[in-house]
Amino acid sequence: MGRTIRGIAEFRSLVGSELGTSEWFEITQERIDAFADVTEDWQWIHVDPERARAEGLGGTVAHGFLTLSLMPRLSAQVFEFAEVGRAVNYGLDKVRFPAPVHPGDRIRLTATMLEASDVDGGGVLGRVSYVVEIEGRERPAAVTQTLMVVYPEPA
């Protein structure tokens, strides 16, 4: 586990700070196929290795939303909260998938705290940049800004 953020005051104080980087995580064709089954998105670029190679893709490509869905798992290695009431996923901004992820690629996430603002109920809305890099590649798999609201412990 990476950094433990203790309370909303510390969360607010981290603006401009890199929170850390996760471990590498391998993307397998089995995971891509399972994601296709769950989402019912069986487009051939994801699930038909022969056709994907024949079409010049070098093989299948992971769904962008698969990469996005792994961000909570990867970010859990980067930071966790303590001494807060709850942390709530508020949404995403500026989601981009600059480079494809292929089976066998390894990805990891780096998180940076961009800004924080107060919200009703004594909470803090944080905007955190997530960059998912692909091992050995220049362009990242995903770049997004996540929004989370962290509330204090009940009085």
Side-chain angles (χ1 to χ4, degrees):
M1 183 64 218
R3 172 192 300 253
T4 299
I5 301 170
R6 299 194 180 282
I8 62 171
E10 181 177 344
F11 183 55
R12 185 183 297 109
S13 76
L14 293 170
V15 171
S17 300
E18 184 176 295
L19 302 177
T21 301
S22 72
E23 296 176 6
W24 291 106
F25 181 83
E26 184 175 354
I27 302 299
T28 64
Q29 185 64 50
E30 293 77 19
R31 184 173 297 275
I32 294 168
D33 292 343
F35 190 83
D37 289 342
V38 168
T39 61
E40 299 187 15
D41 179 358
W42 298 289
Q43 186 180 13
W44 63 266
I45 66 172
H46 305 304
V47 298
D48 187 339
E50 291 79 26
R51 183 172 177 191
R53 272 192 293 283
E55 295 285 338
L57 297 174
T60 57
V61 175
H63 305 71
F65 286 117
L66 169 57
T67 303
L68 192 65
S69 74
L70 290 169
M71 288 181 179
R73 183 215 188 274
L74 297 171
S75 67
Q77 295 178 349
V78 176
F79 65 92
E80 67 180 353
F81 292 102
E83 302 168 24
V84 301
R86 68 187 183 281
V88 178
N89 176 3
Y90 191 69
L92 301 167
D93 280 342
K94 301 179 183 179
V95 178
R96 301 291 184 267
F97 303 110
V101 177
H102 297 280
D105 283 346
R106 294 188 341 148
I107 62 172
R108 70 178 178 185
L109 176 145
T110 298
T112 304
M113 182 74 165
L114 299 176
E115 62 184 59
S117 57
D118 294 333
V119 297
D120 291 342
V124 171
L125 172 66
R127 181 181 303 272
V128 180
S129 165
Y130 286 163
V131 176
V132 178
E133 68 181 291
I134 305 166
E135 187 175 37
R137 306 249 295 282
E138 187 174 320
R139 291 178 39 204
V143 179
T144 187
Q145 294 177 9
T146 64
L147 305 172
M148 59 188 75
V149 181
V150 180
Y151 292 96
E153 292 180 299

